[in-house]
Amino acid sequence: MSPPLLGVEEEGGQSNVTLLGSSGSGSTMESVCQNSAELKERNYMGLSDCSSVDSSVSSPLPEGKKASLNLKATELRLGLPGSQSPERNPELCLLSSQLDEKPLFPLHPSSDGHCSASQKTVVSGNKRGFSDAMDGFSEGKFLSNSKVDVLLSPRPSANLGLKPGSVLENLGTQPTKAKEITNQKAVQDRPLAANETRPNPNASANNNNGAPATKAQVVGWPPIRSFRKNSLATTSKNTDEVDGKAGPGALFVKVSMDGAPYLRKVDLKNYSKYQELSSALEKMFSCFTIGQYGSHGTGRELLSESKLKDLLHGSEYVLTYEDKDGDWMLVGDVPWEMFIETCKRLRIMKSSDAIGLAIDFSFDGAFLSARSPKGRGKVQEPELDTFRHDFCYPSSSLSGGENMEGHSRFFLKG
Amino acid sequence: MESSKLKREKDSQISDELNELRMESSELKKAKDSPISDESYRRSSFPDEVLERVISLLNSHRDRSSVSLVCKDWYNMERWSRTHVFIGNCYSVSPEIVARRFPKIRSVTLKGKPRFSDFNLVPQNWGADVHAWLVVFAAKYPFLEELRLKRMTISDASLEFLASSFPNFKALSLLSCDGFSTNGLAAIATHCKNLTELDIQENDIDDKGGGWLSCFPESFTSLEVLNFANVTSDINFDALERLIGRCKSMRVLKVNRSVSLEQLQRLLANAPQLTELGTGSFSQELTPRQYEDLESVFNNCKNIHTLSGLWEVKGLYLPALYPVSTHLTFLNLSYAVLQSDELAKLLVHCPQLKRLWVLDTVEDKGLEAVGSNCPLLEELRVFPADPFDEEIVYGVTEAGFVAVSYGCPRLHYVLYFCRQMTNAGVATVVRNCPDFTHFRLCIMTPGQPDYLTNEPMDEAFGAVVKTCRKLQRLSVSGYLTDLTFEYIGRYAKNLETLSVAFAGSSDWGMQCVLAGCPKLRKLEIRDCPFGNAALLSGLEKYESMRSLWMSACNVTMNGCRLLAREMPRLNVEVMKEEGSDDDGRADKVYVYRSIAGRRRDAPSSVLTL
């Protein structure tokens, strides 16, 4: 857990610039910080560092353009579950309604600025109780926090600097490369500046001049004919879309791996059991091993606390997947057929963080009670009680307070 | 491919003969004027029939254009013998003018909209409707046999008109067109009794179902080319099977993805003579017996040299193709999601490959396999599988490109979509493959520099134009300054088509290109900082070009008006965006030479200045 905190703390010095920009009021920020300070005690994952969060967003953006884009990114978007930010990935919106049930993976560098959508929303969700109370408490902060984590993984490609969201990424404590890239982009953008200020209905010029922080696509770029675009769209459908379709269809899901700079897609229909999937992924990412649990795919494995630790220490990575409800589960718990029907996305997670997953399951008992009725492969309650004693906040805080109210909205969603 | 190579040789042979004839002709003229001319004239004259015969063997429309410029006699002989006319811009000339000049046309190729219409940059109702042409053709060319359209609008009514106006009609090819539905195809199938070719590719079709295929009468047997991959709805398979069964001369068959593997096997069993095959879906669950049948039917198709389709391909079944892959020269896997090892395994069996289209899911490793297995490769196109999904960062990189170049020295055509590239990589590629004629590199994030050095990609394209002297077509991308365009203007002396997006620093860049590339015919620019000065620097040039497109640049209405005023034989069209500020900027400018004057069918959003 410590690296991101460290990284974040380095930035502690610079703070609040963007928040000011987005919230427009210093006092708001202060209150935010104060509240986060309160949060600190409760937020196990240490995401409460208001300053750290701010700082990663706050590096002065070289251009007005970026600043305005950043403002957009930091606009208060998270609302009630189901409300949707138009600029966000639809996945994110799906997830936003499940925030309470997301395991927190704050340490997870994911492949790029948008990262596993869950990561972003989880972070936000943690604070959501507060965010509604605070003006201008921007989503961006949460995002940037997760981005900070992203920075910690070695990333070879500079083009990430040009991805939406990764604008935020570049602002953190990353290897100088990212910083240089940002600066370079600033320089590079100037020649094209002429296009930037123009109101362009195509939204093309403005978006492309090195500040593609918005997800708005450039019209007609990359230059691919519609027939090809449409054909590929139907080829790589999500599980949801393919469900109603009879006959052979591909079941493409995205696979991300922590620390890897890219995502892949696999067609789940190409495999008939977990072992096949595992070896295919192994080949693809060539440095990952699936934990021994659940490779038989039958029934539920009871994960005792010690067994879990053994497994996770034994292999460097574990394979998790996101199911239809937006929950992140360990792969292998359900029969294969059920798995491919519900799997929407795969993620190869560092086992050290999987421990965090287990802890997080236990962290908030309320989350658990919302989820346990489903009882699918999640860490069992008895172990969780143990964790609860160790880490949970005192019961008094559970009974009242804004944070609980904020959270309870999501409990009901379970 | 082979036949076109032969054609080129033949054409150049004929060109040589023509040159001799030309010289003789001019000598004859001189001889005629000199006092001792009579004797020598009679001795060295040759009948017009010979000249006509020679000219009639000319196929290249460029050679024919040259021939027609020699003298009036030659002009007339050429126009009477021309049977195929190619019109690169349907608005550069009117159908009446064409009909007046060429009375004996049997085959027409027409291109309409600017190329950027493929990427939704041109408004829907822009024009390029073929109907006016068809009406004139019906009157003047009742024996028309072939019509090939690219980026034109054609309605169902026009297709019906076509089907009923030309009794000898044989070949219809529609590429990247719009405005029609499957009902129009039904009309063609129903009425064109002599149809040999129906080639429907990458169009924007209103797909109303597959019933059109069943409209071919039972007595109909002449089809040789059938490509309906673009028309995705289910067709009646029995009708298709019967059609293939009775068209014994069929050589090109490209079905759509509704055709399953088992059905494909049945089709091929009846058509072992095919030379080009586009499969349907390649992922059905096959029993071992079915798989064997598939393998054996491919084994029987000894003539297939072009393979495409392979929708939803299951890597497991690719080995069924091995009997066919050994003599493949063109493999189009651009709709087949393959991983690197699957491609590698297949390519081991494709040593004769000259053209390969793939998706970037094969990654650099897949391209390494290309380099290792396909030494005869001349053309490579790598398409992005997820161009708009920004989470998928991977795909192919400079490594794959370089690997191909080491293994495929004959490579001369490349279309490469990637997310990262380096100057050094491109320089290595062109060092290994100096014969590029078409170099289209698309670094998908606009304005992206060399990802290792963070420098502009100027040196990459500099290397391309300096090394590849035969370069005809170039598409640039990445972060580029004016230096790229200086290089292009200085070195790309054979360049005919240039596509530029999100590049350049100032007017100077475009000026370099306009001043320096003598053979430039098509220039298309989007989202670049080129303004009026650049636009107007090409005043003299545009008449020697087919067209110029500039969108989202810094050109103003006044600049365009000036151009239009100075060059009356150019059509200067400005497309205004709805709701855009009227700040004098010209959002989209399309300039083209025309002897037909301004067009009369422009919609209200298009202003001809």
Side-chain angles (χ1 to χ4, degrees), chain B residues 171-373:
Chain B
L172 177 64
S173 165
L174 300 176
L175 173 57
S176 209
C177 297
D178 67 338
F180 64 105
S181 79
T182 41
N183 291 341
L185 298 180
I188 298 286
T190 309
H191 299 294
C192 297
K193 310 259 180 278
N194 296 310
L195 199 68
T196 60
E197 177 176 340
L198 183 59
D199 183 14
I200 310 294
Q201 278 190 62
E202 305 209 35
N203 301 291
D204 188 9
I205 302 180
D206 180 10
D207 195 336
K208 296 187 169 163
W212 62 274
L213 189 84
S214 311
C215 292
F216 286 107
E218 289 299 319
S219 56
F220 173 76
T221 59
S222 50
L223 206 56
E224 299 171 19
V225 174
L226 178 60
N227 177 357
F228 65 95
N230 184 194
V231 194
T232 47
S233 52
D234 293 2
I235 38 99
N236 180 325
F237 179 72
D238 286 334
L240 176 64
E241 198 176 12
R242 284 197 307 274
L243 178 68
I244 305 303
R246 61 181 188 266
C247 295
K248 294 296 178 200
S249 307
M250 181 145 312
R251 46 186 176 83
V252 175
L253 177 62
K254 299 185 183 177
V255 300
N256 69 14
R257 53 203 298 183
S258 75
V259 172
S260 72
L261 270 179
E262 197 202 336
Q263 290 173 332
L264 180 73
Q265 188 266 328
R266 281 160 60 183
L267 292 177
L268 290 178
N270 266 335
Q273 77 282 4
L274 285 182
T275 59
E276 295 185 28
L277 173 67
T279 74
S281 162
F282 220 76
S283 74
Q284 179 181 0
E285 295 288 333
L286 292 180
T287 67
R289 176 62 196 275
Q290 284 173 321
Y291 180 81
E292 269 172 37
D293 288 344
L294 188 67
E295 246 184 335
S296 83
V297 87
F298 276 122
N299 212 9
N300 268 343
C301 294
K302 305 277 182 215
N303 300 308
I304 294 182
H305 57 68
T306 294
L307 185 65
S308 59
L310 297 165
W311 308 90
E312 291 141 9
V313 64
K314 235 182 157 71
L316 207 57
Y317 296 152
L318 287 177
L321 294 172
Y322 291 168
V324 162
S325 40
T326 37
H327 30 88
L328 277 185
T329 55
F330 179 17
L331 180 56
N332 179 354
L333 297 170
S334 63
Y335 293 101
V337 179
L338 288 177
Q339 307 300 327
S340 49
D341 53 343
E342 294 168 317
L343 178 69
K345 271 200 292 205
L346 177 59
L347 287 181
V348 168
H349 300 264
C350 305
Q352 310 284 338
L353 222 49
K354 292 206 178 127
R355 300 173 67 193
L356 176 64
W357 296 14
V358 289
L359 282 177
D360 66 354
T361 52
V362 303
E363 294 178 349
D364 291 333
K365 267 188 84 185
L367 294 182
E368 281 167 31
V370 174
S372 317
N373 290 298

Side-chain angles (χ1 to χ4, degrees), chain A residues 110-112 154-157 160 257 259-263, chain B residues 391-394:
Chain A
S110 52
S111 61
D112 80 3
R155 291 263 219 127
S157 44
L160 290 169
M257 175 167 163
Y262 50 81
L263 271 77
Chain B
E391 278 190 300
I392 313 264
V393 176
Y394 217 63

